[in-house]
Amino acid sequence: MPETGFPFAAVVGHDDLRTALLLNAVHPGIGGVLVRGEKGTAKSTVVRALSALLPPVEVVPGCRFACDPAAPDPRCPDAPHDGAASRPARLVELPVGASEDRLVGSLDLERALKEGVRAFQPGLLAAAHRGVLYVDEVNLLHDHLVDLLLDAAAMGRAHIEREGVSVAHASSFLLVGTMNPEEGELRPQLLDRFGLTVQVRAAREVDTRAEVIRRRLAYEADPAGFAARWAGADAALAERITAARAALPAVALPDSELRRIAALCAAFDVDGMRADLVVARTATAHAAWRGGDRVTEADVEIAARLALPHRRRRDPFDEPGLDDKQLDQALRDAAEEADREPDPEPPGGGGGGRREEPTEPGAQESPQETPEARASGGDGDGKRAGAPDAGFTARRLEVAGIGDGAPGRRSRSRAGGGRTLRASRRGTGVHLVGTVTAAAPHQRARGRSGPLELRADDLRGSVREGRESNLVLFVVDASGSMAARKRMSAVTGAVVSLLRDAYQRRDKVGLITLRGAESTLALPPTSSVEAAVARLRDLRTGGRTPLADGLLKARRALAAERLRDPRRRALLVLVTDGRATVAARPGGDPLADAVRAACLLAADGVAAVVVDCESGPVRLGLADRVAAALGGTGVRLADLSADAVAGVVRAARAA
């Protein structure tokens, strides 16, 4: 792998990405860039090339927290400060598998044991201060690291309270992340922290693709020579960044453009005020970048295209992005607002009330156009499922026992992060208090009167408990007995809500549908919950109920996943009225075959929840029989709502 980085100026295409990165270099207050795109589109290459263009940073010599000599942090752990030096701006990479200690820092164990002092070893948040913090595959970052990152990004400071160490230090950085949407979306809280977002796709033009290959091969053949040929272009960009930074404070933001920005953000019904501020900062930075002295409509339009796409999602399953026609219409409407004279007194005494009607038609979904409603259609054989109930909030389903799977937010697990329960020889890391406590009674016998003497038997690790993500496999009955519009409306609404819950808890999901002569694996287990929602929107109803075949297919799918990821525990969610009409073998009894298939799943130790969709004055209790055979929990469809019953539905079996 060549040591010399690929030059920023040599990147072919990706104009929006380069613009977003350069504007953040001019005005770090924009808040960073999220780069979304398919694999193999040079996302990481472009981001890493940015660091060579950033102006040098003035720091205090010997300060591990990159304090500015002109305004040093009075609470810096390395204070007092003296002197000044210059060094290149840093690009610090946060690996997806990084530990909490590596991110925020930890106790310097060597000094603590040898010198008896509580010394702090800084982490990546300290190293990234006044630089760039780059997270590749940011959507796969563990949730406990996301929480720490959000806190630091929001406050501009990192606070560490652990193992007897209490430290706070400045941590203001340009956050840049890359992700492949096929592997799952970001949590809304983290998504909103990125100032700008860019969608990256490989070019389809032959000439462009050929030039990409030509430059990449030339770089691999002679990295130093290739970089030297582009050094002048990179130097020109670096000088332009420096000049734009110097000019930025003098750029004027006219009141007309400020009103245009506010009208745009109101038209797209974005949450909060962060979008307005980001668009204003981005437009100002673009004006400085092009050498202007005031923000114009063109600056605002470019800023809106970069700052609004990821903020107009009303639901986790909405597609991000802005439609050009919608943006053009919103810009025309915003122009009328920009030309209007402001009221002498804002309505309501300056209160920030929400607009009753969005300016841009269609920017706010009507109740019939919610993500659940898009699963709607006709009923009957071969027809789409009925419109789901709106506003359904699902209870949390949980696997009993304690696992050790991938970090998430569903079931209890033994974890490298999370709250510490106790010290143990079989714990992870080093539990300092437990280690010292174990060693203290033996010091006299070891002949020690000074510093603490530790031996291997004294070491204790931390036993922590956190939350894990699970594989949630949905088996949904879409047969004729379920095809009544009202019932399928409730079923699809419940399943979409459960999928939303799985999205929030970082689960993998799969979907099996029961309809016709045999079941269908509509979606193999995947981390993309959005794909499951898309399959559910195309769900058709009618025909017979192959319940036994669906359960057997679920057993095979879970067995295959167990081989791929043996630590991830599975949760089977069966949504049915239990009226099986297709046997697993010729001449067999459909319900008896379904019960036998359920017993096989129970023997495998699969945790299961059966959602009973039976309705009407006479109840046969068929779904309850299947639930008993599965050894799982039975719950009625109406009781699955968190609004109806509080608490957690725990599957009876632990894998």
Side-chain angles (χ1 to χ4, degrees):
M1 190 71 181
E3 294 184 4
T4 304
F6 194 90
F8 189 90
V11 174
V12 179
H14 296 334
D15 293 339
D16 285 346
L17 173 55
R18 292 192 295 169
T19 298
L21 291 172
L22 290 170
L23 293 181
N24 270 272
V26 171
H27 192 340
I30 290 172
V33 184
L34 173 64
V35 188
R36 301 165 50 90
E38 55 198 17
K39 52 186 175 292
T41 50
K43 300 185 296 293
S44 299
T45 299
V46 181
V47 173
R48 291 190 177 100
L50 175 67
S51 60
L53 306 182
L54 298 178
V57 177
E58 293 292 322
V59 298
V60 175
C63 178
R64 298 170 297 169
F65 302 89
C67 278
D68 186 351
D73 181 6
R75 293 183 289 173
C76 177
D78 285 354
H81 296 107
D82 186 27
S86 179
R87 65 161 174 78
R90 289 175 178 167
L91 185 143
V92 177
E93 296 195 33
L94 174 60
V96 170
S99 67
E100 184 177 336
D101 289 347
R102 187 72 187 96
L103 178 61
V104 301
S106 63
L107 182 70
D108 190 330
L109 189 60
E110 183 177 357
R111 291 190 62 192
L113 297 179
K114 288 185 176 180
E115 303 174 23
V117 297
R118 288 184 296 183
F120 179 67
Q121 182 66 40
L124 295 177
L125 289 180
H129 180 46
R130 303 175 66 204
V132 180
L133 182 60
Y134 171 49
V135 189
D136 194 14
E137 304 293 349
V138 64
N139 52 324
L140 304 181
L141 194 66
H142 292 171
D143 276 359
H144 69 287
L145 297 182
V146 170
D147 294 336
L148 295 170
L149 196 59
L150 286 176
D151 289 342
M155 298 184 293
R157 297 188 67 83
H159 294 266
I160 300 94
E161 300 283 349
R162 54 187 306 170
E163 297 170 341
V165 174
S166 178
V167 174
H169 63 82
S171 183
S172 178
F173 47 82
L174 170 61
L175 182 61
V176 180
T178 58
M179 60 173 284
N180 184 349
E182 295 176 356
E183 298 172 336
E185 285 291 347
L186 278 178
R187 287 170 51 190
Q189 298 94 326
L190 182 57
L191 186 64
D192 190 51
R193 288 295 174 193
F194 288 97
L196 310 179
T197 186
V198 177
Q199 187 75 33
V200 176
R201 296 181 178 86
R204 297 298 182 257
E205 296 80 11
V206 174
D207 291 342
T208 302
R209 295 176 74 96
E211 183 61 21
V212 169
I213 297 171
R214 189 178 296 113
R215 293 190 186 182
R216 185 65 196 187
L217 293 178
Y219 168 69
E220 292 176 353
D222 183 10
F226 184 84
R229 289 195 295 274
W230 289 92
D234 266 6
L237 286 174
E239 291 176 4
R240 191 174 174 185
I241 290 173
T242 302
R245 279 192 178 186
L248 185 65
V251 175
L253 177 58
D255 191 71
S256 60
E257 298 309 317
L258 187 62
R259 295 181 64 82
R260 190 191 310 276
I261 292 169
L264 266 176
C265 294
F268 283 103
D269 199 26
V270 296
D271 293 331
M273 296 297 298
R274 182 175 283 119
D276 304 63
L277 292 170
V278 170
V279 173
R281 290 167 183 158
T282 306
T284 305
H286 190 267
W289 174 255
R290 63 176 175 79
D293 60 356
R294 61 193 293 114
V295 173
T296 66
E297 180 181 358
D299 297 319
V300 174
E301 180 178 353
I302 290 173
R305 292 184 185 278
L306 296 173
L308 294 183
H310 61 301
R311 290 188 167 89
R312 70 176 301 266
R313 299 176 68 188
R314 312 311 305 161
D315 186 271
F317 305 135
D318 288 347
E319 288 292 329
L322 287 179
D323 182 85
D324 287 339
K325 292 182 180 178
Q326 291 179 342
L327 180 59
D328 291 342
Q329 180 62 47
L331 285 168
R332 286 194 292 270
D333 294 340
E336 299 177 5
E337 187 66 35
D339 295 336
R340 189 173 67 84
E341 289 295 327
D343 295 332
E345 179 70 21
R354 191 182 184 90
R355 290 174 63 105
E356 292 291 333
E357 297 292 335
T359 304
E360 203 281 306
Q364 185 176 8
E365 294 176 302
S366 64
Q368 292 83 6
E369 293 300 323
T370 59
E372 292 90 342
R374 286 193 288 270
S376 64
D379 58 336
D381 189 29
K383 301 300 181 75
R384 295 196 177 208
D389 289 341
F392 191 100
T393 305
R395 298 168 68 186
R396 189 177 79 204
L397 308 180
E398 181 177 321
V399 180
I402 300 179
D404 56 358
R409 290 175 169 256
R410 184 170 298 280
S411 306
R412 296 170 59 202
S413 72
R414 293 175 288 270
R419 64 189 182 98
T420 300
L421 300 179
R422 61 184 183 279
S424 170
R425 283 194 174 95
R426 292 183 291 181
T428 59
V430 176
H431 191 290
L432 182 62
V433 175
T435 299
V436 172
T437 302
H442 306 292
Q443 296 307 297
R444 180 173 296 179
R446 294 172 185 173
R448 302 294 297 180
S449 58
L452 192 70
E453 179 180 333
L454 293 179
R455 295 182 180 175
D457 290 343
D458 300 328
L459 290 177
R460 299 291 187 272
S462 299
V463 176
R464 294 187 172 98
E465 180 177 291
R467 289 278 171 181
E468 66 174 0
S469 62
N470 298 118
L471 165 61
V472 183
L473 181 60
F474 292 92
V475 181
V476 180
D477 188 348
S479 61
S481 64
M482 298 281 292
R485 177 179 293 275
K486 184 175 180 181
R487 191 187 307 183
M488 280 311 298
S489 170
V491 168
T492 53
V495 175
V496 167
S497 297
L498 289 170
L499 286 168
R500 184 180 293 107
D501 181 71
Y503 166 87
Q504 294 168 345
R505 302 188 189 283
R506 318 302 288 173
D507 293 319
K508 292 183 69 173
V509 297
L511 178 65
I512 293 176
T513 58
L514 309 178
R515 176 180 173 270
E518 60 181 17
S519 60
T520 302
L521 181 60
L523 180 71
T526 175
S527 296
S528 178
V529 182
E530 296 84 351
V533 175
R535 297 293 192 280
L536 190 66
R537 289 169 181 164
D538 293 330
L539 180 65
R540 296 180 178 273
T541 62
R544 305 171 71 188
T545 311
L547 182 55
D549 183 72
L551 293 174
L552 292 173
K553 191 160 291 183
R555 185 181 183 226
R556 291 192 294 270
L558 293 175
E561 279 300 305
R562 202 176 297 121
L563 292 175
R564 294 190 188 98
D565 189 357
R567 297 175 59 191
R568 188 186 295 268
R569 297 188 294 167
L571 175 63
L572 177 70
V573 180
L574 174 61
V575 185
T576 182
D577 59 5
R579 299 185 181 185
T581 58
V582 178
R585 49 198 170 82
D589 178 79
L591 182 59
D593 285 355
V595 169
R596 276 192 287 271
C599 289
L600 292 175
L601 282 163
D604 292 341
V606 175
V609 173
V610 178
V611 182
D612 186 358
C613 300
E614 189 174 20
S615 62
V618 179
R619 298 185 58 84
L620 303 179
L622 302 179
D624 291 338
R625 289 183 58 184
V626 178
L630 282 168
T633 303
V635 58
R636 298 219 181 151
L637 181 63
D639 294 339
L640 192 63
S641 169
D643 298 329
V645 178
V648 175
V649 177
R650 287 186 174 86
R653 291 182 178 271

